[in-house]
Amino acid sequence: MPAEGVEERLTNLLAVTDTRLTRLDVDDLLVEVLERLRAILDADTAAVLLVQGSNDLVARAACGLEEEVRQGVRVPIGAGFAGTIAARRQPVILDRIDPTTVANPILWEKGIRHMLGVPLLAGDRLLGVLHVGRLQDRSFDLQDSELLQVAAERVAAAIQIRRTAVESAAAGLLERELLPTTLPQLPEIQFAARYAPAEDRSVGGDWYDAFLAPSGDLWAVIGDVAGHGLPSAVVVSRVKSALRSYAILGESTPRVLQMTNRKLVHFEVGTMVTVLCAVAKPPYQRFEICSAGHLPPVVTSSEGTHFISLQPGPPLGALVDVSYQSTHVELADGATMLLYTDGLVERRGEPLDRGMSRLTAAITEGSAESVCRDAMLHLIGDVLPQDDIALLAVGRPTAGDEPDEVVLGQAHFGAEHQSVAAARAFAVDALPDVDSDVRGALELLVSEVTTNCVVHAESAFTVRMFRSRQHLRVECTDEGGGTVTVRHAEPDDTQGRGMYFVQQLADRWGVREAAARRGKTVWFSLRLDASPFAAAAPTEGVEHV
Amino acid sequence: MSDPVESGQAAAAVLTLSGDIDVAQSDAILAEGEALLASTSSGGRLLIEVGDVAFIDSSGLSSLLRLRRIASERDIEIVLRHVPHSMAVVLRLGGLEGVFTIA
């Protein structure tokens, strides 16, 4: 075969791989490349086997040997012809095809007399093996081997690009899946979050999560799975799901970490995950913090910025028997607690405490959003992060109200049961021209908060109403004892729905303890333009029969 | 609309509620309902006529749920009749849609 002809045909082959690269259908590409290789090398068979798992090669595409693919031929790395090429990562020319030299019986049953195979390598990574065979008695030579290696480079690149594309698409999908699209809407807590992938990867092992358990407990979670890419993203998904599952069972925070650790040690051998959970009951002032090898949160308030001193337990997945300690933190109004992953503070060749000092210097008292913004601005700036970064800021807004609020009225009521109806009438009269669904929600919530005053606080109370452009706000102040709790009542429970209704229907709500005397103020606001009361309306079948 | 006391069945007791049902009414409703349940035989029904209920809150629901608990211990069915829209919303918010028989 004239050398020029070979080069031309090789150019032709490479052109095929180049145009096909963009289309990403690797199986079609492989078949076409194998067909052309067969012609160029005057071969009768051509096949590609790809690495599967850590020990095997599996036939992926073949010409003249289609049964290899159909039968899903599997060859251990190190065994036979293809296995030897994979193990040595060197081309092999074989002139005797029998059970002593070849692991796959299809090859000798086919009557192949000579074979040439080369490894498919992407950098240091073995992707598989490409081989050709001749039925005629003519050995492959070094020129054939070089040509096949050039083809193998292109094939490897095509496979690699396709894999990277598939992996990044899947990882992007997981990332959208793994990070909550909405954070809990609570009147007493503002959330803000950031996720920044590392410069060279589409997704890493960092995540954050925030959710309400049926008990009303708020869970804020941040974590970091060792490693990157799709496998880490999958572990993130499982750990996140395990934490949520144990949390909604009402287990204690240390116990949730302990159980998740047990699951990881049992089912995800070899994974290592740092996690920090901050959990609070309504009204979400006091947080229980539990850390599995994770960096401590930083709190910023009018009194300054400091790290929470924790007793972290080992990372999840590291040890079979572990237990975790809780630390409690009170968040004052206006304070923000920032949970973060190490990518925010760690820099290569620098002690960790320097990064942590940089963090305390970077953030000051402000909204959750401003704390996230300042942390990213001052610690990351316009540098592409070396590691991925997740941030979750949990802030207690200051007790400031909307500036354009006007007072609609206020009234004082005695500590008797009849005051509840009187307070409802007062509230409805204060805002006569309101949408009937907003009125329905207003009546119900006034009834619930004032019932708490007369039944639990056993106290007289004052109702104040305010209106802004879009909101109606109601405050109910008592002088008694008792606290406010939100419970999710089961259908069989005869009590415990009052504050749950407030949580369901109010746009925002909260509790302020009186500073200098007994008593508290429960407040809620309702949107004037859209009532969840209407959204909760039954759609069928509860009207008259 | 049929008469609440249906023909073809043993006459069921009827508890009629109207107006605003909140903490101020809940004890009275519970007492009246308990008395009616006491005179209802096992396997029977207590009809609660709520067509004229203008408002109900969680305290009102609590008294109905307490009656339901007593009734179910004695194998008596409680049926809410003529549930108005605003009450249906509150039942739904409280996760109680399927708890009462509604007719």
Side-chain angles (χ1 to χ4, degrees):
Chain A
M1 197 179 297
E4 219 178 70
V6 171
E7 272 172 28
E8 255 171 37
R9 274 181 280 182
L10 181 60
T11 309
N12 200 7
L13 168 80
L14 300 184
V16 168
T17 61
D18 286 342
T19 55
R20 282 299 192 108
L21 280 183
T22 55
R23 288 168 52 183
L24 300 177
D25 42 1
V26 112
D27 292 301
D28 288 353
L29 167 74
L30 289 177
V31 169
E32 190 148 352
V33 168
L34 293 177
E35 285 289 3
R36 299 206 176 216
L37 276 174
R38 221 160 48 141
I40 294 166
L41 292 167
D42 200 17
D44 299 290
T45 66
V48 167
L49 297 93
L50 296 182
V51 174
Q52 197 162 86
S54 49
N55 302 317
D56 287 327
L57 293 167
V58 172
R60 177 64 181 267
C63 290
L65 266 179
E66 284 76 4
E67 52 270 58
E68 248 200 16
V69 177
R70 284 197 289 270
Q71 294 175 18
V73 165
R74 184 176 283 263
V75 180
I77 290 174
F81 172 65
T84 303
I85 296 163
R88 291 193 199 153
R89 301 183 174 210
Q90 295 284 335
V92 171
I93 293 175
L94 192 64
D95 294 314
R96 202 183 82 189
I97 316 295
D98 63 32
T100 64
T101 58
V102 171
N104 173 10
I106 295 171
L107 298 175
W108 71 79
E109 282 167 4
K110 196 98 190 167
I112 295 172
R113 310 270 292 269
H114 300 278
M115 295 190 78
L116 163 65
V118 297
L120 292 170
L121 296 168
D124 292 338
R125 189 170 153 209
L126 177 76
L127 299 180
V129 169
L130 169 63
H131 68 65
V132 290
R134 282 181 185 147
L135 300 173
Q136 53 181 310
D137 191 6
R138 186 160 67 86
S139 185
F140 289 99
D141 58 22
L142 282 178
Q143 197 193 354
D144 296 330
S145 173
E146 277 166 23
L147 202 148
L148 193 63
Q149 285 177 67
V150 173
E153 278 173 26
R154 290 308 183 100
V155 169
I159 293 169
Q160 183 67 6
I161 284 170
R162 177 189 179 271
R163 278 197 180 156
T164 309
V166 168
E167 176 161 311
S168 82
L173 194 74
L174 266 174
E175 179 186 325
R176 288 192 294 278
E177 179 63 29
L178 293 181
L179 302 177
T181 47
T182 56
L183 296 164
Q185 300 289 306
L186 290 169
E188 310 201 305
I189 294 292
Q190 281 178 347
F191 288 103
R194 295 285 189 280
Y195 176 77
E199 55 178 321
D200 56 341
R201 302 179 194 91
S202 59
V203 73
D206 289 9
W207 87 97
Y208 61 82
D209 193 16
F211 58 91
L212 283 173
S215 60
D217 285 8
L218 169 66
W219 284 70
V221 178
I222 196 140
D224 182 356
V225 171
H228 295 280
L230 200 49
S232 300
V234 170
V235 174
V236 168
S237 153
R238 291 178 184 156
V239 173
K240 178 185 154 183
S241 162
L243 287 167
R244 285 183 158 215
S245 304
Y246 297 131
I248 68 162
L249 293 178
E251 296 287 346
S252 73
T253 316
R255 188 90 177 108
V256 166
L257 285 181
Q258 192 181 31
M259 288 162 86
T260 307
N261 177 66
R262 194 179 298 168
K263 176 182 182 275
L264 268 184
V265 167
H266 187 78
F267 291 112
E268 315 275 341
V269 177
T271 58
M272 187 92 97
V273 185
T274 71
V275 180
L276 184 136
C277 299
V279 182
K281 295 183 183 308
Y284 313 118
Q285 283 160 327
R286 183 176 155 84
F287 281 80
E288 180 187 21
I289 316 263
C290 238
S291 170
H294 202 87
L295 292 172
V298 61
V299 172
T300 179
S301 70
S302 56
E303 288 167 12
T305 302
H306 65 276
F307 286 99
I308 296 169
S309 168
L310 294 178
Q311 299 156 283
L316 303 181
L319 299 167
V320 176
D321 286 316
V322 289
S323 60
Y324 293 95
Q325 307 282 317
S326 297
T327 302
H328 290 89
V329 175
E330 296 272 346
L331 279 193
D333 285 349
T336 296
M337 173 168 64
L338 180 68
L339 319 184
Y340 56 92
T341 55
D342 55 7
L344 183 68
V345 290
E346 259 180 13
R347 295 291 172 275
R348 270 173 214 144
E350 183 189 272
L352 183 62
D353 55 1
R354 194 176 302 170
M356 293 177 75
S357 312
R358 217 171 17 233
L359 177 57
T360 50
I363 60 175
T364 51
E365 187 194 13
S367 67
E369 194 56 43
S370 72
V371 168
C372 277
R373 189 192 58 222
D374 288 347
M376 291 301 281
L377 183 68
H378 298 302
L379 275 79
I380 305 301
D382 55 3
V383 181
L384 288 167
Q386 295 161 354
D387 195 0
D388 55 337
I389 298 169
L391 299 186
L392 177 63
V394 179
R396 287 191 58 86
T398 37
D401 300 312
E402 289 175 85
D404 54 349
E405 236 177 21
V406 295
V407 179
L408 288 174
Q410 78 170 56
H412 189 75
F413 301 90
E416 55 278 352
H417 286 179
Q418 285 71 20
S419 294
V420 172
R424 282 200 305 271
F426 161 72
V428 169
D429 287 347
L431 201 66
D433 53 352
V434 76
D435 174 86
S436 68
D437 282 313
V438 176
R439 186 166 60 236
L442 173 64
E443 277 192 286
L444 181 60
L445 298 200
V446 167
S447 204
E448 300 301 351
V449 299
T450 59
T451 299
N452 277 347
C453 294
V454 298
V455 173
H456 299 298
E458 297 177 349
S459 158
F461 57 92
T462 301
V463 175
R464 293 183 185 83
M465 295 184 56
F466 308 85
R467 174 180 186 159
S468 61
R469 202 158 48 82
Q470 285 185 320
H471 291 91
L472 169 68
R473 194 164 61 85
V474 178
E475 284 188 349
C476 176
T477 304
D478 65 45
E479 295 131 24
T483 55
V484 173
T485 54
V486 179
R487 289 198 293 132
H488 180 90
E490 296 298 326
D492 276 336
D493 294 343
T494 56
Q495 283 191 302
R497 285 183 175 77
M499 291 314 290
Y500 179 69
F501 285 168
V502 176
Q503 193 189 43
Q504 294 273 100
L505 291 176
D507 187 48
R508 299 177 57 190
W509 71 277
V511 182
R512 289 199 301 268
E513 300 287 339
R517 52 176 178 79
R518 252 163 84 80
K520 62 189 175 302
T521 297
V522 179
W523 63 271
F524 62 85
S525 70
L526 293 169
R527 286 179 69 95
L528 289 167
D529 56 353
S531 170
F533 204 65
T539 49
E540 53 174 339
V542 277
E543 301 297 329
H544 304 182
V545 176
Chain B
M1 233 169 279
S2 62
D3 190 279
V5 183
E6 274 142 321
S7 53
Q9 243 182 328
V14 181
L15 173 62
T16 302
L17 307 181
S18 63
D20 287 8
I21 309 299
D22 66 11
V23 66
Q25 285 76 41
S26 52
D27 287 351
I29 290 166
L30 194 58
E32 196 181 340
E34 276 179 337
L36 287 169
L37 286 172
S39 61
T40 302
S41 50
S42 180
R45 299 199 297 166
L46 172 65
L47 304 179
I48 303 183
E49 174 61 53
V50 294
D52 287 327
V53 169
F55 172 83
I56 188 162
D57 65 7
S58 71
S59 302
L61 290 182
S62 288
S63 51
L64 297 184
L65 285 164
R66 282 173 206 269
L67 287 180
R68 180 183 165 276
R69 181 166 290 177
I70 297 163
S72 66
E73 279 163 10
R74 304 201 30 228
D75 192 25
I76 296 168
E77 184 185 20
I78 288 194
V79 180
L80 299 185
R81 291 185 57 91
H82 306 128
V83 176
H85 175 76
S86 61
M87 181 170 173
V89 172
V90 177
L91 284 171
R92 186 185 174 94
L93 278 171
L96 300 172
E97 276 181 304
V99 166
F100 292 100
T101 307
I102 290 176

